[in-house]
Amino acid sequence: MGMDTEYPNQTSVSYFFLERLMYTAEHPSLFFLIFFLIYSITVTGNLLILITVGSDSHLQSPMYHFLGHLSFLDACLSTVTVPKVMAGLLTLEGKTISFEGCVMQLYCFHFLASTECFLYTVMAYDRYLAICQPLHYPVTMNKQMCAGMAGITWAIGAIHSAIHTSLTFHLPYCGPRHIAYFFCDIPPVLKLACADTTINELVMLANIGVVAAGCLIFIVISYVFIVAAVLRIRTAEGRQRAFSTCTAHLTVVLLYYMPPVCIYLQPSSSGAGAGAPAVFYTIVTPMLNPFIYTLRNKEVKRALRRLLCQEPGDPSAGSQTP
């Protein structure tokens, strides 16, 4: 019997209660200010990077094109979770989320997070081409190719999230309303389903695991070739300059991948403490990314100074490693 006839109109839950983050109940006003500060820094920093990349003529290489997409994704990813967390710290009503709102939050979160995962893979491929095949790089990574690859990452992310969202909310939800997590994510929502979720959990682990592992393997392989190519550069200055274009990307990849491994490889975990790894890559990492790329990239720092101080363009700033 198909699932459509197995669970006909059994969903009677119209809203859910979200869990507060651990240690926030004792001092909600203090944590509200902390999250408000983090969210303000995240949105301001990422939008500043986005505006800088879009407006500065010196930052027109593919690397900065993809960085603009990453900044937009980080600002949106933080917006999906942090405002609701802040609302839950102020009022009881803020901890409540409608059934439709939960569906939308889960879809948007996985759409943005999976798109970011694919984007990191594309950025690794871009660095591989720039360092390992510099003569072919300008032709291979032209504007059309950059736009196409960025568009594909967004499209695949949307499809990937739609699959997981439909599988999750196709199940009946007829009783418990308390989500033991600070936002609607697949593992804690599945715990409230009034049906067996074994197949859903297996699909989640297989799908997300294959996608994340596949992207990570591709990134690692790309950097194996990159390191081999950099080590063949004869001058220390040349090696340092080549590595400097990769360190920021490697740093954000590590920050992105480590917390989800703790979450999705343990789908049975729950409670306020289970949200700690998610806080890092949904709230902290989007705030850190602009600083990582700014502190490790001289061209971005110059462009920010030109934007904020209205300095005239420096011709020497345009000479950058692709």
Side-chain angles (χ1 to χ4, degrees), residues 19 63 66 115 174 190 287 322:
E19 182 83 20
M63 179 175 70
F66 296 130
T115 300
C174 51
L190 286 179
M287 179 187 68

Side-chain angles (χ1 to χ4, degrees), residues 103-148:
V103 174
M104 183 61 65
Q105 188 181 53
L106 189 146
Y107 174 80
C108 290
F109 173 76
H110 281 275
F111 168 42
L112 296 167
S114 57
T115 300
E116 191 160 320
C117 175
F118 299 131
L119 185 64
Y120 283 133
T121 309
V122 170
M123 294 172 79
Y125 179 64
D126 170 69
R127 292 297 83 208
Y128 161 77
L129 289 178
I131 294 174
C132 299
Q133 301 183 26
L135 296 180
H136 300 285
Y137 179 72
V139 177
T140 305
M141 292 298 289
N142 52 48
K143 290 184 177 181
Q144 291 76 15
M145 178 62 73
C146 290

Side-chain angles (χ1 to χ4, degrees), residues 65 110 119 122 162 232 252 310 319:
H65 174 81
H110 281 275
L119 185 64
V122 170
R232 289 196 296 268
V252 297
Q310 297 297 313
S319 57

Side-chain angles (χ1 to χ4, degrees), residues 37-250:
L37 181 62
I38 291 174
Y39 181 64
S40 300
I41 293 173
T42 301
V43 174
T44 303
N46 282 289
L47 290 182
L48 194 58
I49 293 291
L50 182 62
I51 294 171
T52 303
V53 170
S55 62
D56 197 288
S57 60
H58 300 99
L59 303 182
Q60 297 304 308
S61 69
M63 179 175 70
Y64 299 115
H65 174 81
F66 296 130
L67 177 58
H69 282 270
L70 178 62
S71 297
F72 183 73
L73 280 168
D74 279 334
C76 292
L77 186 63
S78 183
T79 300
V80 168
T81 56
V82 180
K84 191 61 182 174
V85 171
M86 292 192 298
L89 291 171
L90 293 181
T91 63
L92 182 62
E93 291 77 10
K95 296 172 59 179
T96 305
I97 186 169
S98 67
F99 184 88
E100 294 78 11
C102 189
V103 174
M104 183 61 65
Q105 188 181 53
L106 189 146
Y107 174 80
C108 290
F109 173 76
H110 281 275
F111 168 42
L112 296 167
S114 57
T115 300
E116 191 160 320
C117 175
F118 299 131
L119 185 64
Y120 283 133
T121 309
V122 170
M123 294 172 79
Y125 179 64
D126 170 69
R127 292 297 83 208
Y128 161 77
L129 289 178
I131 294 174
C132 299
Q133 301 183 26
L135 296 180
H136 300 285
Y137 179 72
V139 177
T140 305
M141 292 298 289
N142 52 48
K143 290 184 177 181
Q144 291 76 15
M145 178 62 73
C146 290
M149 294 181 74
I152 289 173
T153 62
W154 284 90
I156 297 177
I159 295 171
H160 183 257
S161 180
I163 292 172
H164 283 290
T165 304
S166 60
L167 286 174
T168 300
F169 289 100
H170 186 72
L171 295 170
Y173 294 89
C174 51
R177 290 183 169 87
H178 181 255
I179 297 176
Y181 215 52
F182 67 96
F183 70 97
C184 291
D185 198 7
I186 297 173
V189 170
L190 286 179
K191 289 181 176 297
L192 306 184
C194 303
D196 182 28
T197 61
T198 303
I199 295 178
N200 293 72
E201 291 178 0
L202 290 175
V203 170
M204 176 187 68
L205 289 174
N207 193 333
I208 294 179
V210 168
V211 169
C215 290
L216 184 58
I217 290 171
F218 188 93
I219 292 172
V220 170
I221 292 174
S222 298
Y223 273 99
V224 168
F225 284 103
I226 289 171
V227 170
V230 171
L231 292 178
R232 289 196 296 268
I233 299 176
R234 296 182 179 180
T235 65
E237 182 181 356
R239 288 194 296 268
Q240 183 180 3
R241 188 174 183 183
F243 271 129
S244 68
T245 66
C246 301
T247 51
H249 178 251
L250 273 175

Side-chain angles (χ1 to χ4, degrees), residues 38 41-42 45-46 49 74 248 251-252 255 280-281 283-295:
I38 291 174
I41 293 173
T42 301
N46 282 289
I49 293 291
D74 279 334
T251 303
V252 297
L255 291 175
F280 200 79
Y281 87 106
I283 298 176
V284 178
T285 301
M287 179 187 68
L288 294 178
N289 281 356
F291 294 100
I292 293 170
Y293 272 97
T294 302
L295 294 175

